[in-house]
Amino acid sequence: MSKFKLIPSSSAISTGVCTCAKTLCECNMKYCSTRGQEAGLTFKQVLFAGYAKDLGLYMPEDVPVLGPEELQHLKGCSFPELVCEIARKFIDEAEIPTTDLEEVIKDSLKRFRIPEVVRVEKLKGGLNIVELFHGTTLAFKDLGLSVVCGLLSYFLAESSRHVTVLVGTSGDTGSAAIEGVRGRANMDIVVLLPKGRCTAIQELQMTTVLEDNVHVYRVDGSSDDLDHPIKQCFADTQLVAKHNLISVNSINWGRILVQVAHFFYTYFQLCEEVGCPVEVVIPTGACGNITAGCIAQKMGLPITLVAGVNTNNIVARTLGEGDFSVKGDVVTSLAPAMDIQVPYNVERMMYLYANKDTARVRQLMQEFEKSGKVTIPEDIMKAMKTGCTGTFTVDDDEITKTLRRVHQEHHYVLCPHTAVAAAYHYSATRKIGEKSPPKGYIATASPAKFPEALQRAGLEPVTDLVAHLHSLPTRSVEMKKGEDWYSMLKAKIESISAGRAKA
């Protein structure tokens, strides 16, 4: 599968000095916390972690840069090959040999419904829809989570170790994580979903999975509310260590790593020639996807990024004005995966654009966690705007109008999150005679998951891939307001370990 001959050097692995002829090599990649308490970690260590010990997020200590010749070589890669090549940049050969890495990725992506895995639908007028939703649960989360769970399983097979995956979801992450874990003997998964705030289809994709290693909780609160007990669990270092607790939200670096690949794929599908710019428009929630885009930029990919948000517009205020602050409660919208008021991957973006100054990141995040607001310093904002060149906000009415207009003009049906991105296509203005770069609009999910939004736009729901869910039995546990959610989670995690000990 690999387009490159990757030749490990014992001296490179032992000293960290690269002796390979090409940049694509084993360069002793190490990871650190964005807040500075931990450094020098391996990929495997951060893959099996949630939050860092100081409650920061893990990032590579250095981002590898590709030269023009390497970009040209990558242009001929299929999507799975690109995932392999990008992953090889961030995972040492000493941790997983190239042949094994290729096999894990190939096996992880085999359940996608189209052979190319990702498809760019080039509609007239430059409306290029980047379809990332051809996986098992019809959302882009399948891309990252299928590979992450494959890598976890690969490393777990080397020992008799068992892990418990703890995940909070605003809609799509939970079902994709469940699909990656269900039936695996060495993994259990506990998922918290916000009751009544996902679509019916999203919820059914989680509650209809009845395998013994899947445990679903319906929480009486928002996706931000359910993050609190999850963060409490990961802050309990004894609980984490004793029960091998990990996360596969975009908290997990592995998710971000895999998502970098679809920015490369989008670029190569749309660029006029390698080196020419491409603009990528991203519907944005917790900022995991846009963080992956920023990393692709840092690697030398000539893309510009635009972030679109729904009514919960903290990301637009943060990236546009430096106003990283929570204002009011989470508002339920037609694009529920973006109903977030605490986009935790902003912390990773701060790290990237503060020149890896972990002390500054720690100070800013501690202020945010204490007061719910912080102003990002001007120098960091200036650097951040070189990565993300624009932001915009789309309310439910505009989502509905965009769904209707794209269907009328192109006979193409979007999901409401993708409609947020596509709204930019109709709002962007250009001067007469001005040539703009090609644009890719990230399609994060299939419209089949959002029948309510389609009906509001006067469109027929897409049912062929989800109709069967309504007839399946369901199983879940309620988490009600006023209950001690942290204690409930802790008890469940302990009971999973106890059950495995008896077995």
PDB file of all heavy atoms in Angstrom, residues 404-425:
ATOM      1  N   ARG A 404     -32.881  23.512   1.375  1.00  0.00           N
ATOM      2  CA  ARG A 404     -33.879  23.610   0.298  1.00  0.00           C
ATOM      3  C   ARG A 404     -33.219  24.070  -1.005  1.00  0.00           C
ATOM      4  O   ARG A 404     -33.479  23.509  -2.076  1.00  0.00           O
ATOM      5  CB  ARG A 404     -34.972  24.590   0.730  1.00  0.00           C
ATOM      6  CG  ARG A 404     -36.184  24.625  -0.201  1.00  0.00           C
ATOM      7  CD  ARG A 404     -37.208  25.634   0.300  1.00  0.00           C
ATOM      8  NE  ARG A 404     -37.688  25.291   1.629  1.00  0.00           N
ATOM      9  CZ  ARG A 404     -37.667  26.123   2.669  1.00  0.00           C
ATOM     10  NH1 ARG A 404     -37.165  27.331   2.550  1.00  0.00           N
ATOM     11  NH2 ARG A 404     -38.147  25.735   3.838  1.00  0.00           N
ATOM     12  N   ARG A 405     -32.344  25.054  -0.910  1.00  0.00           N
ATOM     13  CA  ARG A 405     -31.745  25.626  -2.113  1.00  0.00           C
ATOM     14  C   ARG A 405     -30.814  24.627  -2.810  1.00  0.00           C
ATOM     15  O   ARG A 405     -30.838  24.502  -4.046  1.00  0.00           O
ATOM     16  CB  ARG A 405     -30.975  26.894  -1.758  1.00  0.00           C
ATOM     17  CG  ARG A 405     -30.370  27.585  -2.973  1.00  0.00           C
ATOM     18  CD  ARG A 405     -29.837  28.957  -2.627  1.00  0.00           C
ATOM     19  NE  ARG A 405     -29.263  29.597  -3.807  1.00  0.00           N
ATOM     20  CZ  ARG A 405     -28.733  30.819  -3.822  1.00  0.00           C
ATOM     21  NH1 ARG A 405     -28.736  31.553  -2.709  1.00  0.00           N
ATOM     22  NH2 ARG A 405     -28.236  31.329  -4.931  1.00  0.00           N
ATOM     23  N   VAL A 406     -30.004  23.918  -2.035  1.00  0.00           N
ATOM     24  CA  VAL A 406     -29.089  22.939  -2.646  1.00  0.00           C
ATOM     25  C   VAL A 406     -29.884  21.826  -3.317  1.00  0.00           C
ATOM     26  O   VAL A 406     -29.524  21.364  -4.407  1.00  0.00           O
ATOM     27  CB  VAL A 406     -28.123  22.371  -1.584  1.00  0.00           C
ATOM     28  CG1 VAL A 406     -27.330  21.192  -2.145  1.00  0.00           C
ATOM     29  CG2 VAL A 406     -27.157  23.457  -1.104  1.00  0.00           C
ATOM     30  N   HIS A 407     -30.981  21.433  -2.706  1.00  0.00           N
ATOM     31  CA  HIS A 407     -31.815  20.395  -3.327  1.00  0.00           C
ATOM     32  C   HIS A 407     -32.447  20.900  -4.618  1.00  0.00           C
ATOM     33  O   HIS A 407     -32.490  20.200  -5.636  1.00  0.00           O
ATOM     34  CB  HIS A 407     -32.895  19.934  -2.350  1.00  0.00           C
ATOM     35  CG  HIS A 407     -33.734  18.817  -2.880  1.00  0.00           C
ATOM     36  ND1 HIS A 407     -35.007  19.016  -3.379  1.00  0.00           N
ATOM     37  CD2 HIS A 407     -33.475  17.491  -3.033  1.00  0.00           C
ATOM     38  CE1 HIS A 407     -35.495  17.864  -3.794  1.00  0.00           C
ATOM     39  NE2 HIS A 407     -34.587  16.921  -3.598  1.00  0.00           N
ATOM     40  N   GLN A 408     -32.928  22.132  -4.585  1.00  0.00           N
ATOM     41  CA  GLN A 408     -33.569  22.698  -5.779  1.00  0.00           C
ATOM     42  C   GLN A 408     -32.568  22.881  -6.922  1.00  0.00           C
ATOM     43  O   GLN A 408     -32.876  22.590  -8.082  1.00  0.00           O
ATOM     44  CB  GLN A 408     -34.214  24.039  -5.428  1.00  0.00           C
ATOM     45  CG  GLN A 408     -35.454  23.922  -4.558  1.00  0.00           C
ATOM     46  CD  GLN A 408     -35.963  25.262  -4.064  1.00  0.00           C
ATOM     47  OE1 GLN A 408     -35.264  26.277  -4.145  1.00  0.00           O
ATOM     48  NE2 GLN A 408     -37.191  25.290  -3.551  1.00  0.00           N
ATOM     49  N   GLU A 409     -31.375  23.348  -6.607  1.00  0.00           N
ATOM     50  CA  GLU A 409     -30.400  23.682  -7.646  1.00  0.00           C
ATOM     51  C   GLU A 409     -29.589  22.478  -8.124  1.00  0.00           C
ATOM     52  O   GLU A 409     -29.133  22.457  -9.273  1.00  0.00           O
ATOM     53  CB  GLU A 409     -29.444  24.766  -7.132  1.00  0.00           C
ATOM     54  CG  GLU A 409     -30.127  26.104  -6.883  1.00  0.00           C
ATOM     55  CD  GLU A 409     -29.156  27.179  -6.421  1.00  0.00           C
ATOM     56  OE1 GLU A 409     -27.944  26.877  -6.303  1.00  0.00           O
ATOM     57  OE2 GLU A 409     -29.606  28.313  -6.177  1.00  0.00           O
ATOM     58  N   HIS A 410     -29.409  21.490  -7.254  1.00  0.00           N
ATOM     59  CA  HIS A 410     -28.491  20.394  -7.585  1.00  0.00           C
ATOM     60  C   HIS A 410     -29.118  19.003  -7.444  1.00  0.00           C
ATOM     61  O   HIS A 410     -28.438  18.006  -7.748  1.00  0.00           O
ATOM     62  CB  HIS A 410     -27.249  20.461  -6.685  1.00  0.00           C
ATOM     63  CG  HIS A 410     -26.522  21.767  -6.745  1.00  0.00           C
ATOM     64  ND1 HIS A 410     -25.689  22.113  -7.778  1.00  0.00           N
ATOM     65  CD2 HIS A 410     -26.511  22.830  -5.894  1.00  0.00           C
ATOM     66  CE1 HIS A 410     -25.177  23.322  -7.561  1.00  0.00           C
ATOM     67  NE2 HIS A 410     -25.674  23.780  -6.429  1.00  0.00           N
ATOM     68  N   HIS A 411     -30.369  18.934  -6.948  1.00  0.00           N
ATOM     69  CA  HIS A 411     -31.002  17.640  -6.668  1.00  0.00           C
ATOM     70  C   HIS A 411     -30.115  16.798  -5.751  1.00  0.00           C
ATOM     71  O   HIS A 411     -29.966  15.592  -5.936  1.00  0.00           O
ATOM     72  CB  HIS A 411     -31.305  16.885  -7.972  1.00  0.00           C
ATOM     73  CG  HIS A 411     -32.124  17.679  -8.940  1.00  0.00           C
ATOM     74  ND1 HIS A 411     -33.457  17.974  -8.728  1.00  0.00           N
ATOM     75  CD2 HIS A 411     -31.782  18.262 -10.117  1.00  0.00           C
ATOM     76  CE1 HIS A 411     -33.911  18.687  -9.735  1.00  0.00           C
ATOM     77  NE2 HIS A 411     -32.916  18.892 -10.594  1.00  0.00           N
ATOM     78  N   TYR A 412     -29.568  17.460  -4.770  1.00  0.00           N
ATOM     79  CA  TYR A 412     -28.630  16.843  -3.833  1.00  0.00           C
ATOM     80  C   TYR A 412     -29.104  17.180  -2.421  1.00  0.00           C
ATOM     81  O   TYR A 412     -29.465  18.329  -2.132  1.00  0.00           O
ATOM     82  CB  TYR A 412     -27.220  17.387  -4.074  1.00  0.00           C
ATOM     83  CG  TYR A 412     -26.132  16.712  -3.262  1.00  0.00           C
ATOM     84  CD1 TYR A 412     -25.445  15.618  -3.768  1.00  0.00           C
ATOM     85  CD2 TYR A 412     -25.779  17.183  -2.002  1.00  0.00           C
ATOM     86  CE1 TYR A 412     -24.433  15.002  -3.037  1.00  0.00           C
ATOM     87  CE2 TYR A 412     -24.777  16.583  -1.261  1.00  0.00           C
ATOM     88  CZ  TYR A 412     -24.111  15.486  -1.780  1.00  0.00           C
ATOM     89  OH  TYR A 412     -23.120  14.884  -1.052  1.00  0.00           O
ATOM     90  N   VAL A 413     -29.089  16.183  -1.539  1.00  0.00           N
ATOM     91  CA  VAL A 413     -29.592  16.376  -0.183  1.00  0.00           C
ATOM     92  C   VAL A 413     -28.419  16.417   0.801  1.00  0.00           C
ATOM     93  O   VAL A 413     -27.585  15.508   0.834  1.00  0.00           O
ATOM     94  CB  VAL A 413     -30.565  15.249   0.218  1.00  0.00           C
ATOM     95  CG1 VAL A 413     -31.135  15.515   1.617  1.00  0.00           C
ATOM     96  CG2 VAL A 413     -31.701  15.133  -0.797  1.00  0.00           C
ATOM     97  N   LEU A 414     -28.380  17.477   1.600  1.00  0.00           N
ATOM     98  CA  LEU A 414     -27.350  17.656   2.616  1.00  0.00           C
ATOM     99  C   LEU A 414     -27.886  17.279   3.990  1.00  0.00           C
ATOM    100  O   LEU A 414     -29.097  17.262   4.215  1.00  0.00           O
ATOM    101  CB  LEU A 414     -26.910  19.127   2.684  1.00  0.00           C
ATOM    102  CG  LEU A 414     -26.368  19.801   1.436  1.00  0.00           C
ATOM    103  CD1 LEU A 414     -26.142  21.284   1.723  1.00  0.00           C
ATOM    104  CD2 LEU A 414     -25.074  19.145   0.984  1.00  0.00           C
ATOM    105  N   CYS A 415     -26.993  17.026   4.920  1.00  0.00           N
ATOM    106  CA  CYS A 415     -27.380  16.992   6.331  1.00  0.00           C
ATOM    107  C   CYS A 415     -27.313  18.433   6.855  1.00  0.00           C
ATOM    108  O   CYS A 415     -26.684  19.304   6.234  1.00  0.00           O
ATOM    109  CB  CYS A 415     -26.457  16.064   7.121  1.00  0.00           C
ATOM    110  SG  CYS A 415     -25.010  16.850   7.868  1.00  0.00           S
ATOM    111  N   PRO A 416     -27.957  18.740   7.993  1.00  0.00           N
ATOM    112  CA  PRO A 416     -27.966  20.137   8.476  1.00  0.00           C
ATOM    113  C   PRO A 416     -26.591  20.677   8.837  1.00  0.00           C
ATOM    114  O   PRO A 416     -26.350  21.886   8.724  1.00  0.00           O
ATOM    115  CB  PRO A 416     -28.894  20.087   9.695  1.00  0.00           C
ATOM    116  CG  PRO A 416     -28.965  18.647  10.076  1.00  0.00           C
ATOM    117  CD  PRO A 416     -28.797  17.870   8.818  1.00  0.00           C
ATOM    118  N   HIS A 417     -25.652  19.813   9.266  1.00  0.00           N
ATOM    119  CA  HIS A 417     -24.312  20.292   9.579  1.00  0.00           C
ATOM    120  C   HIS A 417     -23.582  20.702   8.303  1.00  0.00           C
ATOM    121  O   HIS A 417     -22.916  21.742   8.252  1.00  0.00           O
ATOM    122  CB  HIS A 417     -23.518  19.203  10.305  1.00  0.00           C
ATOM    123  CG  HIS A 417     -24.212  18.667  11.506  1.00  0.00           C
ATOM    124  ND1 HIS A 417     -25.226  17.729  11.404  1.00  0.00           N
ATOM    125  CD2 HIS A 417     -24.078  18.936  12.816  1.00  0.00           C
ATOM    126  CE1 HIS A 417     -25.667  17.445  12.604  1.00  0.00           C
ATOM    127  NE2 HIS A 417     -24.990  18.169  13.487  1.00  0.00           N
ATOM    128  N   THR A 418     -23.736  19.888   7.273  1.00  0.00           N
ATOM    129  CA  THR A 418     -23.128  20.212   5.985  1.00  0.00           C
ATOM    130  C   THR A 418     -23.757  21.472   5.409  1.00  0.00           C
ATOM    131  O   THR A 418     -23.079  22.261   4.730  1.00  0.00           O
ATOM    132  CB  THR A 418     -23.288  19.038   5.014  1.00  0.00           C
ATOM    133  OG1 THR A 418     -22.883  17.827   5.671  1.00  0.00           O
ATOM    134  CG2 THR A 418     -22.444  19.234   3.764  1.00  0.00           C
ATOM    135  N   ALA A 419     -25.044  21.682   5.700  1.00  0.00           N
ATOM    136  CA  ALA A 419     -25.720  22.901   5.243  1.00  0.00           C
ATOM    137  C   ALA A 419     -25.091  24.144   5.864  1.00  0.00           C
ATOM    138  O   ALA A 419     -25.075  25.215   5.236  1.00  0.00           O
ATOM    139  CB  ALA A 419     -27.209  22.838   5.570  1.00  0.00           C
ATOM    140  N   VAL A 420     -24.573  24.024   7.084  1.00  0.00           N
ATOM    141  CA  VAL A 420     -23.855  25.153   7.696  1.00  0.00           C
ATOM    142  C   VAL A 420     -22.663  25.526   6.823  1.00  0.00           C
ATOM    143  O   VAL A 420     -22.434  26.705   6.518  1.00  0.00           O
ATOM    144  CB  VAL A 420     -23.399  24.808   9.130  1.00  0.00           C
ATOM    145  CG1 VAL A 420     -22.447  25.875   9.661  1.00  0.00           C
ATOM    146  CG2 VAL A 420     -24.598  24.669  10.054  1.00  0.00           C
ATOM    147  N   ALA A 421     -21.898  24.519   6.391  1.00  0.00           N
ATOM    148  CA  ALA A 421     -20.753  24.793   5.520  1.00  0.00           C
ATOM    149  C   ALA A 421     -21.207  25.347   4.182  1.00  0.00           C
ATOM    150  O   ALA A 421     -20.661  26.338   3.675  1.00  0.00           O
ATOM    151  CB  ALA A 421     -19.937  23.515   5.315  1.00  0.00           C
ATOM    152  N   ALA A 422     -22.235  24.734   3.587  1.00  0.00           N
ATOM    153  CA  ALA A 422     -22.695  25.144   2.256  1.00  0.00           C
ATOM    154  C   ALA A 422     -23.270  26.551   2.254  1.00  0.00           C
ATOM    155  O   ALA A 422     -23.259  27.231   1.224  1.00  0.00           O
ATOM    156  CB  ALA A 422     -23.729  24.151   1.735  1.00  0.00           C
ATOM    157  N   ALA A 423     -23.763  27.007   3.402  1.00  0.00           N
ATOM    158  CA  ALA A 423     -24.283  28.384   3.479  1.00  0.00           C
ATOM    159  C   ALA A 423     -23.204  29.393   3.123  1.00  0.00           C
ATOM    160  O   ALA A 423     -23.497  30.474   2.589  1.00  0.00           O
ATOM    161  CB  ALA A 423     -24.836  28.655   4.880  1.00  0.00           C
ATOM    162  N   TYR A 424     -21.973  29.045   3.395  1.00  0.00           N
ATOM    163  CA  TYR A 424     -20.851  29.937   3.056  1.00  0.00           C
ATOM    164  C   TYR A 424     -20.728  30.104   1.544  1.00  0.00           C
ATOM    165  O   TYR A 424     -20.336  31.170   1.054  1.00  0.00           O
ATOM    166  CB  TYR A 424     -19.560  29.348   3.634  1.00  0.00           C
ATOM    167  CG  TYR A 424     -18.318  30.180   3.403  1.00  0.00           C
ATOM    168  CD1 TYR A 424     -18.076  31.330   4.152  1.00  0.00           C
ATOM    169  CD2 TYR A 424     -17.369  29.808   2.453  1.00  0.00           C
ATOM    170  CE1 TYR A 424     -16.928  32.082   3.954  1.00  0.00           C
ATOM    171  CE2 TYR A 424     -16.218  30.549   2.248  1.00  0.00           C
ATOM    172  CZ  TYR A 424     -16.005  31.690   3.001  1.00  0.00           C
ATOM    173  OH  TYR A 424     -14.867  32.439   2.805  1.00  0.00           O
ATOM    174  N   HIS A 425     -21.058  29.061   0.810  1.00  0.00           N
ATOM    175  CA  HIS A 425     -21.001  29.113  -0.657  1.00  0.00           C
ATOM    176  C   HIS A 425     -21.902  30.212  -1.198  1.00  0.00           C
ATOM    177  O   HIS A 425     -21.560  30.887  -2.182  1.00  0.00           O
ATOM    178  CB  HIS A 425     -21.426  27.756  -1.219  1.00  0.00           C
ATOM    179  CG  HIS A 425     -21.492  27.698  -2.716  1.00  0.00           C
ATOM    180  ND1 HIS A 425     -20.376  27.645  -3.515  1.00  0.00           N
ATOM    181  CD2 HIS A 425     -22.565  27.686  -3.564  1.00  0.00           C
ATOM    182  CE1 HIS A 425     -20.734  27.592  -4.788  1.00  0.00           C
ATOM    183  NE2 HIS A 425     -22.055  27.620  -4.848  1.00  0.00           N
TER     184      HIS A 425
END
